[in-house]
């Protein structure tokens, strides 16, 4: 098993999963469409974002999207995990945790002192992120006005 930066072709392959990733990650809060996926991914990829992939026997098992953002609270540049995804047949094997830890090493090597991510309420990955030391900074709340 290897974790490394995705090639151009691997990145193109990852983009084929964006509707499924969007559907799972947003927990039904975002209506998945190709247009919405492109709207969300274009700034990430054109802004210097890239993927680390977990590969075994030349098969991608999962990936983590890395980039940087300006923290809206401190105005500092911080590392950012844009996307974390493990293909269903490779889940429950520690792949996501290994990808996160590789992301931390990579972002630290790029000079970042902090990493942030967004996670939707109800997303099972939140437990992993908390286990890895992430803490809540803010909560977006909503109420339907019927």
């Amino acid at each position: 098993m290897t974790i490394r930066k995705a090639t151009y072709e691997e990145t193109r392959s990852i983009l084929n999963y964006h509707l499924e990733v969007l559907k799972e990650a947003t927990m039904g809060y975002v209506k998945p469409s190709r247009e919405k996926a492109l709207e969300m991914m274009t700034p990430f990829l054109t802004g210097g974002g890239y993927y680390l992939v977990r590969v075994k026997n030349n098969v991608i098992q999962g990936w983590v999207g890395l980039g940087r953002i300006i923290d809206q609270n401190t105005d500092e540049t911080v590392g950012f995990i844009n996307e974390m995804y493990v293909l269903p047949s490779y889940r429950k094997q520690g792949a996501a945790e290994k990808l996160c830890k590789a992301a931390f090493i990579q972002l630290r090597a790029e000079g970042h002192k902090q990493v942030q991510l967004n996670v939707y309420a109800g997303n099972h990955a939140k437990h992993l992120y908390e286990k890895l030391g992430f803490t809540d900074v803010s909560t977006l709340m909503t109420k339907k006005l019927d």
Side-chain angles (χ1 to χ4, degrees), residues 12-131:
R12 289 178 48 98
S13 176
I14 288 167
L15 294 176
N16 290 327
Y17 288 93
H18 270 76
L19 284 179
E20 185 61 30
V21 172
L22 182 62
K23 181 180 172 183
E24 282 189 39
T26 62
M27 309 298 299
Y29 288 100
V30 175
K31 183 179 178 184
S33 69
R34 182 164 172 70
E35 294 76 23
K36 180 54 96 174
L38 286 173
E39 176 187 323
M40 294 174 83
M41 292 312 300
T42 299
F44 164 69
L45 291 171
T46 59
Y50 61 93
Y51 292 100
L52 295 181
V53 290
R54 182 175 195 230
V55 180
K56 186 172 184 180
N57 298 327
N58 293 322
V59 175
I60 295 175
Q61 297 180 342
W63 56 86
V64 57
L66 301 181
R68 64 175 187 241
I69 61 167
I70 304 297
D71 180 307
Q72 63 182 353
N73 299 311
T74 65
D75 294 327
E76 294 178 21
T77 301
V78 299
F80 191 75
I81 293 178
N82 185 69
E83 177 180 325
M84 166 68 65
Y85 194 75
V86 176
L87 294 166
S89 58
Y90 302 104
R91 293 179 184 173
K92 306 286 186 197
Q93 300 173 30
E97 184 171 351
K98 288 180 175 94
L99 282 163
C100 277
K101 288 180 177 179
F104 301 158
I105 291 167
Q106 179 67 32
L107 291 168
R108 193 176 299 117
E110 292 174 8
H112 297 290
K113 296 184 182 347
Q114 185 176 356
V115 60
Q116 296 179 355
L117 56 78
N118 288 320
V119 62
Y120 279 81
N123 188 325
H124 64 277
K126 185 173 183 188
H127 299 293
L128 169 65
Y129 301 142
E130 290 170 340
K131 175 183 168 187

